[in-house]
Amino acid sequence: MTESSELTRIVVVGASLAGLRASESLRSSGYSGSIRLIGAEDHLPYDRPPLSKKILTGEWEPEQIALRKADSFAEIDVEMLLGVPAVALDTRAHEVGLADGRSVSYDGLIIATGAAPRRLPGQPGYPGIFELRTLDDSLELRAALGEGVRVVVIGAGFIGLEAASSARRLGCRVTVLEGAPAPLIRGLGAEMGRAVATIHAAHDVEIRCDVQVAAIEGSSAGVTGVRLGDGSVVAADVVVVGVGVAPATGWLAGSGLELRDGIVCEASLRAVGMGYVYAAGDCARWPNQLFDEEMRVEHWTNAAEQGALAAANLVREANGEELEAYSAVPFFWSDQYDRRVQFIGRAFLPGEDEADYDIRIVRGTVDEGKFVALYGRRGRLRGVLGLSLPKYVMPFRALLARGASWDEALEFAAGQT
Ligand code: FAD
């Protein structure tokens, strides 16, 4: 980059995956001005997926999930401001206000504040109730788990089911409560959600669907159970609340940024109507041109790719170059017991009915605990789900990217060896 006089101070808010990738990408895009990376947590950037897996089971220790070696931040010349959340943004004065009263000026801003767990209405603060988003959350929960501990997980989404699987590996007695008719319904639909969740029954984890949580019971001495809508109580020593996340954008109120379940961005990840301000990762909402849909995605690959692209586009903007759209096929994985779930694509958008989908297992079977299922709608391939058959899943990413038809996808699956 020929250093633009307009862009010499870049601030990145959110020192995790998207924020780190953005900082690295600024340097690889040739930007040589200052970078300040602001993070609410005390930790250097670390990887979140192991928090519900190998960190929770104790197989890994925190140093194994560092996203970059501590001494290598100097190499990319990034000033870290950790343990201090941003609390305000003034887009006119180009200033980020910090919780300790300082304010940090910027010419360019990248927002990567991710998402924070939702809580249940009236959720009490008794000891033994946990959410699972940060390293500290995971270590605290891990300390409470062990042989014979009664764990109730509220929410049969991916995080809840991963926590259930890890708790089970540690010898806990685990029950999962879900208000919807099937586990994993939001991402996979009812039929495939049930199919994937069969692996839990094989490990003696009971998943109770269609149940409403009325209250979490306990006292200042600790949680004792979860009362259901029918008045019955499921006894618990530990309760894990896994009812989803909301974008961490509260600090942006009054900033002038458009907020609608995330920071509303253009296809390039630039915040709408705001020059030199970008968002990336779990907090960003953008029109994905491949799917003809405005989306916000809460997965690792999306955060890593968006962080890098948002930064590259900020540098492009300063250089007067054309911005690149972020058009990607969403992808995520989840590890439960010895199984790996993968999903690429996008299915069950708001307003879409499962009955309008063609869902077909094209390899393996549910009983084997290994299968690949295609999701089609209106003659087009929309998603691919795999359970422990990774080799057969990823090749479909290219088909999804080019909008392949349902027939083409079936033919491709039949030809896979
Ligand atoms: P985050 O990782 O949420 O980071 C945002 C950072 O910003 C945080 O450090 C936060 O403290 C900080 N922050 C927030 N507000 C402020 C503020 N006001 N000021 C300063 N800093 C702030 N995805 C998969 O694809 N596969 C998986 O198997 C998988 N497993 C997961 C398991 C767990 C337990 C969790 C929590 C997530 C998992 N994910 C998984 C999702 C994946 O980790 C996220 O999509 C990814 O971390 C998003 O990165 P991000 O940088 O956008 O946000």
Side-chain angles (χ1 to χ4, degrees):
M1 176 192 175
T2 50
E3 191 65 64
S4 159
S5 57
E6 291 176 319
L7 192 64
T8 58
R9 297 168 306 172
I10 295 181
V11 169
V12 181
V13 186
S16 182
L17 179 61
L20 175 65
R21 290 288 188 266
S23 305
E24 293 169 336
S25 162
L26 287 169
R27 292 298 181 221
S28 58
S29 301
Y31 169 74
S32 57
S34 72
I35 303 174
R36 292 174 131 185
L37 181 54
I38 298 169
E41 294 177 69
D42 279 325
H43 306 286
L44 285 168
Y46 62 83
D47 211 16
R48 256 167 245 282
L51 300 181
S52 46
K53 310 174 183 82
K54 290 192 167 171
I55 290 286
L56 195 55
T57 57
E59 289 162 87
W60 283 3
E61 291 305 326
E63 49 283 6
Q64 287 168 274
I65 61 168
L67 283 171
R68 219 186 147 92
K69 287 194 183 124
D71 55 8
S72 74
F73 283 91
E75 275 166 30
I76 55 168
D77 193 15
V78 172
E79 184 189 349
M80 310 290 294
L81 301 175
L82 297 180
V84 55
V87 290
L89 171 64
D90 184 335
T91 48
R92 288 220 180 87
H94 289 202
E95 275 179 2
V96 176
L98 304 185
D100 61 9
R102 278 182 290 171
S103 60
V104 182
S105 301
Y106 66 84
D107 307 312
L109 177 67
I110 298 170
I111 303 172
T113 45
R118 290 183 197 277
R119 309 185 108 212
L120 293 167
Q123 184 176 316
Y126 307 138
I129 302 175
F130 297 89
E131 288 136 17
L132 188 46
R133 183 74 193 178
T134 65
L135 176 57
D136 296 346
D137 292 341
S138 179
L139 294 176
E140 282 168 27
L141 174 57
R142 163 169 132 179
L145 301 179
E147 196 65 42
V149 172
R150 296 166 304 174
V151 176
V152 173
V153 177
I154 302 178
F158 284 102
I159 302 290
L161 292 186
E162 287 185 356
S165 140
S166 296
R168 191 67 198 107
R169 286 184 77 153
L170 293 170
C172 301
R173 288 147 58 191
V174 185
T175 306
V176 182
L177 305 174
E178 169 60 52
L184 301 173
I185 201 164
R186 196 165 65 102
L188 306 184
E191 183 189 346
M192 287 297 120
R194 280 191 201 101
V196 169
T198 53
I199 55 180
H200 288 270
H203 289 86
D204 291 329
V205 168
E206 188 190 3
I207 303 179
R208 296 175 63 182
C209 293
D210 264 332
V211 292
Q212 302 310 316
V213 169
I216 301 180
E217 299 195 329
S219 67
S220 56
V223 69
T224 54
V226 178
R227 183 155 44 81
L228 305 182
D230 65 4
S232 63
V233 174
V234 186
D237 308 305
V238 165
V239 171
V240 180
V241 180
V243 293
V245 293
T249 52
W251 67 284
L252 296 168
S255 64
L257 294 189
E258 188 178 337
L259 304 173
R260 186 170 14 92
D261 182 37
I263 300 158
V264 183
C265 297
E266 299 164 356
S268 64
L269 303 175
R270 181 168 63 184
V272 290
M274 249 348 125
Y276 295 84
V277 178
Y278 289 76
D282 285 12
C283 67
R285 166 171 289 280
W286 90 109
N288 186 338
Q289 293 165 347
L290 276 184
F291 284 75
D292 209 11
E293 181 207 344
E294 190 189 80
M295 54 175 84
R296 189 175 67 75
V297 170
E298 296 164 0
H299 306 313
W300 194 99
T301 312
N302 176 75
E305 292 177 352
Q306 286 197 342
L309 187 80
N313 275 341
L314 172 55
V315 174
R316 287 188 185 109
E317 183 179 358
N319 286 342
E321 293 164 11
E322 201 178 324
L323 306 185
E324 199 181 302
Y326 183 68
S327 306
V329 179
F331 161 69
F332 70 85
W333 77 93
S334 169
D335 295 331
Q336 297 166 36
Y337 311 102
D338 56 348
R339 303 280 162 197
R340 170 153 287 199
V341 183
Q342 293 169 302
F343 190 85
I344 47 176
R346 192 83 169 162
F348 309 122
L349 304 182
E352 287 182 355
D353 198 323
E354 191 162 340
D356 298 338
Y357 273 82
D358 219 332
I359 299 177
R360 198 167 311 172
I361 293 183
V362 291
R363 183 168 296 273
T365 61
V366 173
D367 288 345
E368 281 172 74
K370 281 185 179 190
F371 64 84
V372 175
L374 305 186
Y375 290 57
R377 188 170 187 267
R378 296 197 173 146
R380 197 176 147 192
L381 178 69
R382 289 284 292 274
V384 180
L385 166 68
L387 183 62
S388 286
L389 285 176
K391 168 178 153 196
Y392 296 99
V393 176
M394 294 319 282
F396 281 98
R397 208 172 185 198
L399 273 79
L400 283 157
R402 64 166 193 269
S405 71
W406 180 240
D407 289 342
E408 194 187 337
L410 290 175
E411 204 176 306
F412 181 82
Q416 277 182 312
T417 51

